[in-house]
Amino acid sequence: MIKWLFKYGAAIFLFNTVLLNIESTYDIGNMIFLFLMGIFSFFLIINPAQIKNILFHKAFSFFLILNLMNLLYFLLFHAISDYEAIKYIIARGLQFSIISVSIYFNYEYYKEKFLKHIVYLVFGIVVFSFLLDPFILSGRYSGIIWNPNMLSSFCVTAFSILLLNNEKRTNLDYFILFSFLLIAISTGSRLALLAIVLVLLMKYGFSARNIIYAVISLVITLIIISINLDTSLNRFVAQSLFNDRTLQYQYAYETFVKKPLFGYGLDKYAYIDISLVPTYLKSTIMASHNGYLAFLTQYGILFGGIILIIIFNKSIQAYSYFRNRNSFEKIYLFIIIYTLISSLFETYMTGINEFNTILFWFSLAILSYSKFHEEYEI
């Protein structure tokens, strides 16, 4: 039981976010999350020697540094009785521990099969969504997922994994790719367009194929925007990428400048001071929708700046080392690059129990471990 949990903990942690994003299964997903955190904590405690070697492993040292920074911040700026901040430290620490332990014990699974399982899981979401709600063009489509942006995130991630996979594709694979693309666009998410462009560039570069795709896309776009729909293409043309984010950035920035040095605290991630927001906007301005502002608001310039430096340093190391690879590394690189870009519009790096956040930190960790694995020829 212990060995199995250590090997597949990260996969369970990630897959469980699907249940948390379906209204009817949210409570089940929350119970699984709490059980996983509790049982994993217990197993960590009863295996201190073995776990110490993993958590202090060179490949995962950046997790250790981030955990120590969280602890130091807590000791400096929080009361010992601050329950919400304590929950954040424990949850973030366990998130990093689950990822590290799973990669260490089951590296081969997470190199290949894990990514395929993400594709199968998301395709299952798409199939069930279509069976229960086949009207994908009647407004912003969300299927069985509570939020259309979240459904888009699932689909573009799975689309990118399948497209970047170098295995020979079957007719079923092409059908699945088309399904992901269609659903992602029907959600109305403008970030889906960014993800699609990025993955095509990573797959084909500035090639003749991409030029053909661009021409075809332009023709399709002109046709779609002439119809009164609410797809990603229609919303992008009508609103631009930043349209409904400008005010959120404004109040996130105003929140940050009130406490620029040391921020608002560990429990205030993606935080906006609602007292700064006019009454008529309070129903629409609820979060910063910018991962970088979120870190600075939470930690302040000093701690937040160091955290961002660590993130960019690990990302640049991964890109420099693996940029010419065409195996699983390229898929994880895409996830990192896409998250860094999309964090200009969403708080993908700051959450705990969130699909994109878990996958981002996991991607940094597995590429770090893979680099260590090659350099020391383990």
Side-chain angles (χ1 to χ4, degrees):
M1 171 66 177
I2 296 177
K3 187 176 181 180
W4 185 88
L5 185 64
F6 281 172
K7 290 172 69 174
Y8 296 102
I12 298 169
F13 192 30
L14 182 74
F15 297 160
N16 186 57
T17 61
V18 173
L19 296 179
L20 291 167
N21 279 286
I22 301 173
E23 188 175 354
S24 59
T25 60
Y26 175 82
D27 290 336
I28 297 173
N30 196 45
M31 286 190 291
I32 293 174
F33 168 71
L34 294 174
F35 174 78
L36 180 62
M37 288 294 191
I39 198 71
F40 209 92
S41 300
F42 176 72
F43 288 158
L44 289 177
I45 292 170
I46 65 175
N47 292 276
Q50 191 175 30
I51 297 304
K52 177 185 175 183
N53 292 333
I54 299 172
L55 300 186
F56 284 82
H57 193 287
K58 183 179 179 180
F60 307 125
S61 59
F62 70 104
F63 279 164
L64 179 63
I65 294 170
L66 291 172
N67 282 328
L68 291 175
M69 286 189 62
N70 281 335
L71 180 60
L72 177 61
Y73 185 96
F74 175 82
L75 294 174
L76 290 174
F77 304 111
H78 284 280
I80 298 298
S81 59
D82 195 334
Y83 177 63
E84 293 300 319
I86 292 173
K87 281 202 307 183
Y88 178 84
I89 288 180
I90 293 173
R92 181 67 83 194
L94 282 172
Q95 181 191 58
F96 289 163
S97 299
I98 291 171
I99 291 171
S100 303
V101 170
S102 293
I103 292 172
Y104 185 86
F105 280 111
N106 210 5
Y107 175 60
E108 292 301 320
Y109 165 75
Y110 290 105
K111 280 172 61 177
E112 300 290 347
K113 291 183 180 179
F114 175 59
L115 295 168
K116 293 180 181 179
H117 291 165
I118 292 175
V119 172
Y120 299 152
L121 177 64
V122 176
F123 186 59
I125 295 171
V126 169
V127 170
F128 275 107
S129 294
F130 185 76
L131 290 175
L132 295 175
D133 182 10
F135 304 104
I136 63 173
L137 296 177
S138 58
R140 295 191 65 190
Y141 186 71
S142 60
I144 61 173
I145 304 300
W146 75 276
N147 182 286
N149 288 335
M150 197 64 240
L151 178 60
S152 170
S153 182
F154 287 137
C155 288
V156 295
T157 299
F159 174 84
S160 303
I161 291 171
L162 191 54
L163 185 68
L164 291 173
N165 192 313
N166 282 324
E167 293 181 5
K168 185 177 180 180
R169 276 187 278 275
T170 64
N171 289 334
L172 177 60
D173 290 332
Y174 285 112
F175 174 75
I176 293 174
L177 278 170
F178 176 75
S179 300
F180 289 154
L181 186 62
L182 180 63
I183 295 298
I185 292 175
S186 70
T187 63
S189 169
R190 289 157 292 175
L191 270 180
L193 302 179
L194 173 64
I196 292 165
V197 170
L198 178 61
V199 74
L200 288 174
L201 285 174
M202 289 190 68
K203 178 67 175 178
Y204 303 115
F206 292 97
S207 62
R209 181 178 297 195
N210 263 349
I211 293 173
I212 294 171
Y213 285 158
V215 173
I216 294 173
S217 299
L218 179 60
V219 173
I220 293 173
T221 299
L222 291 174
I223 294 172
I224 291 178
I225 64 175
S226 67
I227 306 171
N228 186 25
L229 298 175
D230 211 8
T231 69
S232 300
L233 295 169
N234 294 85
R235 294 186 73 234
F236 181 80
V237 171
Q239 302 177 9
S240 84
L241 198 58
F242 290 94
N243 183 67
D244 57 351
R245 294 289 187 258
T246 307
L247 285 175
Q248 291 160 335
Y249 296 162
Q250 175 187 331
Y251 292 113
Y253 177 74
E254 289 181 11
T255 298
F256 161 67
V257 296
K258 285 185 67 177
K259 293 185 178 181
L261 292 181
F262 301 111
Y264 286 76
L266 296 176
D267 55 316
K268 299 295 192 298
Y269 50 94
Y271 177 71
I272 284 182
D273 185 351
I274 293 299
S275 67
L276 299 173
V277 182
T279 303
Y280 71 95
L281 288 175
K282 286 185 177 180
S283 62
T284 56
I285 307 295
M286 294 176 285
S288 61
H289 280 285
N290 183 296
Y292 304 102
L293 273 174
F295 273 129
L296 294 176
T297 302
Q298 182 182 11
Y299 291 97
I301 290 176
L302 180 59
F303 281 81
I306 294 173
I307 289 172
L308 290 175
I309 288 172
I310 292 171
I311 290 172
F312 277 108
N313 181 56
K314 292 303 297 184
S315 302
I316 291 170
Q317 283 182 13
Y319 178 78
S320 299
Y321 194 84
F322 294 112
R323 61 184 175 182
N324 295 320
R325 303 293 180 88
N326 286 309
S327 188
F328 74 96
E329 298 97 343
K330 194 165 192 176
I331 298 173
Y332 285 118
L333 267 184
F334 164 79
I335 292 168
I336 292 170
I337 295 170
Y338 172 63
T339 302
L340 292 175
I341 296 173
S342 62
S343 287
L344 292 168
F345 317 103
E346 298 289 350
T347 53
Y348 282 162
M349 295 186 291
T350 61
I352 298 291
N353 200 13
E354 200 272 333
F355 179 80
N356 297 94
T357 305
I358 297 169
L359 205 50
F360 171 69
W361 290 114
F362 184 91
S363 299
L364 284 177
I366 195 170
L367 290 184
S368 180
Y369 186 76
S370 183
K371 180 174 178 287
F372 178 88
H373 206 269
E374 291 185 8
E375 288 178 339
Y376 293 90
E377 297 182 353
I378 297 176

